[in-house]
Amino acid sequence: MTQNTLRTHIQTTLTALEALLEQLSGNEIPLDASAPKNIADRSPTEALQNDLKERFVLYAADQGAVVALDPDWVPLFSEAMFGEEMAPDADGALDLMQEISSQGFGTVQSTLAEEGLTLPEVQFDTAAPGQAPPSPDEAAWLVPFTAQRGGGELDGLVLLPDGAEASSDASTTTESAPQEAAAGADQSSGASQPAGGGVPSSSADESDGVEVSPAAFSELGDEEISGDGDSGTFKLLADVDLEVRVELGRRELPLADVLKLTTGSVVELEKMVGEPLSVYANGRLIAEGEAVVIDEQFGVRITNLASDGHREKAFF
């Protein structure tokens, strides 16, 4: 892949990610990338390894792609997703970065597909600052980038393998193969028609005079969000029903012991007497409480709330 080709794909990617960040946060966050540097013939430097250790690293081990982000990206993403800033070392920061990597890659994948570049399906893993990042041995290109936010600057870098252009060529070949096969089939069908007196096949008759043209779709226009414009919150989801479950306790039993259960059997739970009950919404822990009785019905009194980030993640 040439530097100019990669630069073109990077600019397309930045435009798509800017649109995604604006959609999430409601604010323009300009992105800018430096010229790609070819590092295919260089061994990873100690400085690059140390730089990765100081950042959140999103990596697809089987593809050799790495995205390293400064920890200050966490407050930006959390404010966009949850409406409030989260500290880089807070619980849930890794989950947040994992979610952002999935949304970001999906946006980039669909955008580049329109440009004729097919990216493979990948699953990104995440490493927090201080953890051992993946080795960048397979990286061929280094692309530093920055984002402008509130008068400040956030930085990051991308390490890419040298294989995207082949995917683009393969995509073109794959798309043209059915057309070539169809053309060959038409020629074969024409050659097999009888010279005279024979009855031509119905498919040949139906194909005569049929015009084939690409499907055309009108432009959708600029995206508009109705309401008060506060797209960075969950107000639109306020009326969505969630399943709330209260857990008294758990216990794992071998299948043989489960088959021995009869009427009157007692299953001992791992939770001690007096410990709070766990309250889940959509399968995520949101609070702890104690059992109460209200008009002959069981209830739970909330005694401790989980962090706002954990509770808002129940929407996902």
Side-chain angles (χ1 to χ4, degrees), residues 23 38 61 70 76 81 88 104 121 128 133 158 169-170 176 200 204 208-209 225 233 237 248 285 296 298 309 311:
Q23 180 181 6
N38 192 326
D70 186 84
L76 170 65
M81 296 290 289
E121 294 291 340
V158 177
D169 295 338
S176 62
D208 292 338
I225 300 179
T233 67
L237 303 179
L248 177 62
L285 178 66
E296 299 183 355
F298 279 114
R311 281 183 284 144

Side-chain angles (χ1 to χ4, degrees), residues 67-119:
V67 180
L69 299 177
D70 186 84
D72 288 338
W73 284 85
V74 172
L76 170 65
F77 291 147
S78 60
E79 185 177 17
M81 296 290 289
F82 306 133
E84 64 178 27
E85 293 188 356
M86 175 188 295
D89 58 350
D91 293 339
L94 272 180
D95 292 339
L96 172 65
M97 300 301 278
Q98 187 80 29
E99 175 66 22
I100 287 294
S101 68
S102 299
Q103 293 195 26
F105 179 74
T107 299
V108 172
Q109 187 181 41
S110 59
T111 301
L112 292 182
E114 298 175 358
E115 303 292 328
L117 180 65
T118 302
L119 298 181

Side-chain angles (χ1 to χ4, degrees), residues 196-213:
V199 179
S201 64
S202 59
S203 60
D205 288 339
E206 293 172 357
S207 63
D208 292 338
V210 176
E211 295 184 1
V212 179
S213 60

Side-chain angles (χ1 to χ4, degrees), residues 237-316:
L237 303 179
D239 295 330
V240 175
D241 292 332
L242 295 179
E243 179 186 10
V244 177
R245 173 169 53 87
V246 179
E247 186 176 277
L248 177 62
R250 298 185 181 186
R251 181 63 182 269
E252 292 186 1
L253 292 175
L255 177 60
D257 290 345
V258 174
L259 296 176
K260 294 177 182 178
L261 294 178
T262 60
T263 303
S265 298
V266 176
V267 178
E268 182 180 356
L269 304 179
E270 88 290 354
K271 188 164 293 188
M272 300 294 292
V273 176
E275 287 190 25
L277 309 181
S278 300
V279 182
Y280 294 86
N282 250 26
R284 293 185 180 272
L285 178 66
I286 62 169
E288 293 179 338
E290 59 183 8
V292 296
V293 176
I294 306 173
D295 296 333
E296 299 183 355
Q297 289 184 316
F298 279 114
V300 59
R301 178 187 291 117
I302 302 300
T303 58
N304 183 35
L305 290 174
S307 65
D308 292 339
H310 278 76
R311 281 183 284 144
E312 288 177 341
K313 283 167 66 176
F315 283 97
F316 297 99

